[in-house]
């Protein structure tokens, strides 16, 4: 399994990072010797195990983004993004949040 280095951004969670890279929280914890999955911090560098055969189908929200723009960019719908990400309010996304797009 290959690895990539990822720098934690505001709003990131290990679950979201794991989804983005197609791995598990457990793998990230092991590769980084992290004892508490709830204790990561902005700027922390994490070694992420990735299977180079797994396509990345996620998007990291940037300042100024909205779901309509993201949906249009990736040829999907706001409704699809809401469902894929278990979001109830299409106006509540934040920079650093990792969204599934497919």
């Amino acid at each position: 399994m290959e690895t990539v280095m990822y720098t934690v951004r505001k709003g990131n969670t290990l679950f979201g990072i794991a989804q983005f890279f197609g791995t598990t929280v457990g793998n990230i914890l092991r590769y980084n010797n992290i004892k508490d999955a709830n204790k990561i911090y902005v700027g922390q560098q994490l070694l992420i195990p990735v299977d180079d055969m797994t396509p990345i189908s996620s998007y990291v929200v940037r300042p100024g983004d909205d779901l309509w723009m993201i949906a249009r960019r990736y040829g999907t719908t706001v409704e699809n993004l809401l469902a894929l990400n278990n979001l109830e309010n299409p106006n509540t996304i934040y920079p650093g949040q990792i969204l599934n797009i497919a």
Side-chain angles (χ1 to χ4, degrees):
M1 186 167 289
E2 295 189 36
T3 59
V4 296
M5 188 63 70
Y6 179 77
T7 303
V8 176
R9 297 179 180 176
K10 184 177 179 181
N12 283 161
T13 64
L14 284 181
F15 179 75
I17 295 168
Q19 280 191 314
F20 182 80
F21 287 102
T23 189
T24 66
V25 171
N27 280 341
I28 295 172
L29 293 173
R30 274 192 298 284
Y31 273 72
N32 293 278
N33 198 28
I34 296 173
K35 304 292 184 225
D36 185 345
N38 296 310
K39 292 193 177 175
I40 61 171
Y41 55 89
V42 173
Q44 180 178 4
Q45 292 200 326
L46 298 174
L47 194 60
I48 309 295
V50 295
D51 178 356
D52 57 359
M53 300 301 287
T54 304
I56 296 175
S57 57
S58 301
Y59 177 76
V60 179
V61 176
R62 297 180 181 121
D65 282 348
D66 61 47
L67 284 183
W68 182 84
M69 181 196 70
I70 296 167
R72 186 171 177 204
R73 181 181 301 156
Y74 291 99
T76 188
T77 64
V78 170
E79 292 76 18
N80 189 43
L81 292 175
L82 290 169
L84 283 171
N85 294 283
N86 297 320
L87 300 173
E88 293 182 15
N89 184 342
N91 299 313
T92 308
I93 60 172
Y94 51 89
Q97 182 177 5
I98 300 172
L99 298 175
N100 292 313
I101 57 171

